[in-house]
Amino acid sequence: MRLAVLCCVTASCLFAPFALAQPSPRAPTGPAQAAPDPAMEASQRAYDALPENDRRAIQESLMWTGDYNAVVGVNFGKRLYDAIRSYQKRRNVPQNGVLSDSLWAALTAEGKRARDSVRFAILDDPATGVRVGAPMRLVERSVRSPRGDATQTAQYQSADGVMALGLIAAPLAAKSLEQAFADETAAKPGRKVTYKFQRPEFFVVSGEENGRIFYSRAARNHAQMRGFTFSYPLARKGDFDRIMLAIANSFDPFPAVATAAAGAAAT
């Protein structure tokens, strides 16, 4: 960033020699710009030329293969470029960041196998109204809050307790988004928050608690706060990280169908 230097100059001749004697101020220089990477630029051109649905599908497949450890979207970046090259390296093909038709087909198939292996599917929870993806192979039982409670919860977990997915929906009068964020980030024995991010309409908190990794996300509308927490053993991090990302990417706290149905019932 260039900084303009404003110098005050008087009309008096007494100060002219002093002013002339000073060296010219040197504008501070910013960090050196990284040289363009032609291979990365070519990768981005090929990616950006694709329809939006195809770009998202590539990121989702790379997430399921374990090459892309980020929230799925449609934009290109260094992390996505590295993920494509990581997949190419495992397939023993040139690491140029551009997916050929055959490699794209292989990536799609591999991602689908990983998704199907845990029977990942969209879950519409009737108690909370939350729509979220979940590994149906692992979800074997649920515990819900009593009917009539203002705050509704649902707890899904595997039979061996390895995986737990908790859902919540509460009127803002009962539990605001700010209160939920304070609860998630509060200091507790055996609990360590490693990441937190808050905005007026949502928050994300993740960390470790008693040997388990947890990831919580919640959002609000004009009337309710809804969210989820997914947890799994720290020792199984490699097995469950991609599932955690898939759940986060699929989270829909206020599905359009549910909103439309509620509006119709109110009329």
Side-chain angles (χ1 to χ4, degrees), residues 29 41 50 80 100 102 111 122 159 189 191 218 240 242 245 253:
T29 58
E41 291 177 347
L50 298 171
L80 177 59
S100 64
S102 60
I122 297 300
R191 182 179 177 92
F240 287 96
R242 71 190 72 181
L245 284 170

Side-chain angles (χ1 to χ4, degrees), residues 82-102:
D82 290 341
I84 295 173
R85 295 178 71 244
S86 170
Y87 181 71
Q88 289 175 322
K89 182 178 181 180
R90 292 195 298 103
R91 299 286 299 190
N92 196 28
V93 298
Q95 299 167 46
N96 57 11
V98 177
L99 293 170
S100 64
D101 290 345
S102 60

Side-chain angles (χ1 to χ4, degrees), residues 39-49 76 81 97-98:
M40 183 173 171
E41 291 177 347
S43 176
Q44 180 169 4
R45 286 193 299 270
Y47 178 81
D48 288 346
F76 185 91
Y81 174 63
V98 177

Side-chain angles (χ1 to χ4, degrees), residues 124-130 144-145 151-154 156 168-169 224 226:
D124 283 299
D125 181 65
T128 63
V130 170
R144 300 180 182 278
S145 54
T151 298
Q152 291 294 308
T153 61
Y156 297 85
I168 184 171
Q224 273 195 330
R226 295 181 182 179

Side-chain angles (χ1 to χ4, degrees), residues 112-191:
K112 184 178 185 301
R113 284 195 299 272
R115 180 187 176 102
D116 291 348
S117 69
V118 295
R119 290 174 52 202
F120 193 86
I122 297 300
L123 168 70
D124 283 299
D125 181 65
T128 63
V130 170
R131 175 177 294 167
V132 67
M136 298 299 174
R137 184 180 296 276
L138 298 175
V139 175
E140 296 182 357
R141 64 172 180 251
S142 63
V143 180
R144 300 180 182 278
S145 54
R147 184 183 298 273
D149 279 10
T151 298
Q152 291 294 308
T153 61
Q155 184 73 21
Y156 297 85
Q157 64 186 65
S158 56
D160 56 8
V162 169
M163 185 210 75
L165 175 64
L167 307 177
I168 184 171
L172 295 180
K175 189 165 191 175
S176 69
L177 193 69
E178 292 75 15
Q179 290 172 328
F181 181 75
D183 290 344
E184 290 293 331
T185 56
K188 301 174 185 176
R191 182 179 177 92

Side-chain angles (χ1 to χ4, degrees), residues 194-209:
T194 57
Y195 178 81
K196 57 183 179 180
F197 183 81
Q198 184 183 29
R199 285 291 182 267
E201 302 300 321
F202 76 96
F203 71 74
V204 175
V205 178
S206 63
E208 300 172 13
E209 184 171 17

